[in-house]
Amino acid sequence: ETILVVDDDPVQRRLLEAMVRRLGYEAKVVDGGEAALAALAAEAPPDLVILDLVMPDLDGMGVLGKMRERGYAMPVIVQTAHGGIDVVISAMKAGASDFVVKPVGLERLQVSLRNALAAEALTDEIKRMKRKGEGRLTFKDLVSKSPRMVPVLRVAEKAATSNIPVLIEGESGVGKEMLARAIHGSSDRKGRPFVAVNCGAIPLNLVESILFGHEKGAFTGATEKHTGKFVEADGGTLFLDEVGELPPDIQVKLLRALQTGEVDPVGGRRAIRTDFRLISATNRSMLDMVREGAFREDLFYRLHVYPVSLPPLRERREDIADLVRLFVARFAAEEGKRIRAVSSEAMALLGAFPWPGNVRQLENAIFRAVVLAEGDELSVAEFPHLIAASSRLPASPPVAIPEPAPLPVILEAPRISAEPASISTGPALDLVGGDGEVVPLETIERETIRFAIRHYRGQMSQVARRLGIGRSTLYRRLKDLGLDAEVASED
């Protein structure tokens, strides 16, 4: 997540920026209220704002007021060194979600950021699920930051302005129904019925009855009249998922319904007119099915008027982090767990996994992790099945990473020596101490990290990447090994 730091004091800005980055977030800093409003209006707004209340041009209360007027809904943590509880209460009433007192400590800031972001994610998910149930889901509710999704959403938004039949193509679990709901919720049919049918899950002997309805007594067991899905969708949208699974005789009736806008119930004496907008979806190549004779060619051209192709999750990994946040918020609330964050190591694991089952598989993985979790943070330990699956995957080809400009230091391989030698901070490292015993692992780790920091001249992102760990893990190890004070003094 990106955190916007708003403070007119340059020292406070630098301190907050350093702490925000140390906690594993992206940081953006501005020096006043007007600059903050400009940053909030940018194409990629921040996820959270840390706002100073006392500033010369436009103070914190003024920024909160402008945010409410303009509809900015991201959480705000206010910070102040002046004023009493009445000032804080006024800020909370104006829309702030939390407050901290200058100078804020790292642990207090971490708790405040986690709580605010978790609460915001849960609020967003609740609103999204409510709009989904009401048939008012829009494209803004679709979680996506991937460049691959930009043309897809642009094409889908144009489809929402028309009643043109849409065919959504994509792998299983990629989110085809959510896109169909967004098209419906963005059209003039929003708020009307959205009827979803999984054609592959209907027994063959009931397909016609479920889709087109039946009259009472039309067949054995038909004790009541059933209107059918086409009539249920009257005035709204009918979504046929896995439409390629329909049997040939039903394909004929579907073609007639599309041509005439009328359906023939089983046992009915006359056709029933219905006004529906059809969106269909498939995870197979419809053209190949037509060539194989498994799908009618004339129906294919009726459905394939406006195709939209959804890329798999592995091709839009930029969306994984936001999806994880939403799923964690929802399942933690459902399971009564106080989970506030996902560790950087776990997020790296989730981001690197290929997800053959796409968004549905990711959702189920998060659900399982939330159930397994015992603390307030999801770690790698909660994803043992992903680690096991990753170990069975074929190795990916190496990616060429540009090397930094070499420093005039000659790296030597670790040598084993029985002679007394002290652990040096140079490139060579003894693995056996003067007592003839192996040097403790903690000492080796301490000297390795110290050397890496000097080798990369204090560029902590570079150090973390070369050591193969996350930034937050690096800072945690610095503290555990007693190196944080040493690094701070060098800075």
Side-chain angles (χ1 to χ4, degrees), residues 6 13 35 42 68 149 198 200 207 217 241 292 341 363 376 406 419 421 434:
V6 187
R13 283 201 307 272
R68 184 162 52 184
M149 286 295 290
N198 189 330
V207 174
D241 196 9
E292 295 166 1
E363 183 177 10
D376 64 349
E419 300 178 1

Side-chain angles (χ1 to χ4, degrees), residues 323-405:
L323 288 169
V324 169
R325 282 181 58 201
L326 292 177
F327 293 151
V328 168
R330 185 207 308 171
F331 293 131
E334 291 177 356
E335 297 297 314
K337 298 287 188 75
R338 293 182 58 84
I339 298 175
R340 301 300 185 191
V342 180
S343 72
S344 58
E345 294 83 359
M347 191 63 82
L349 172 65
L350 296 173
F353 195 75
W355 301 112
N358 294 293
V359 179
R360 185 181 296 121
Q361 184 185 8
L362 173 62
E363 183 177 10
N364 292 335
I366 297 300
F367 192 5
R368 172 175 175 164
V370 169
V371 173
L372 290 175
E374 297 180 355
D376 64 349
E377 181 180 76
L378 294 186
S379 65
V380 175
E382 276 73 58
F383 300 96
H385 54 300
L386 296 187
I387 298 175
S390 297
S391 65
R392 294 193 297 268
L393 293 173
S396 302
V399 178
I401 301 174
E403 294 289 337

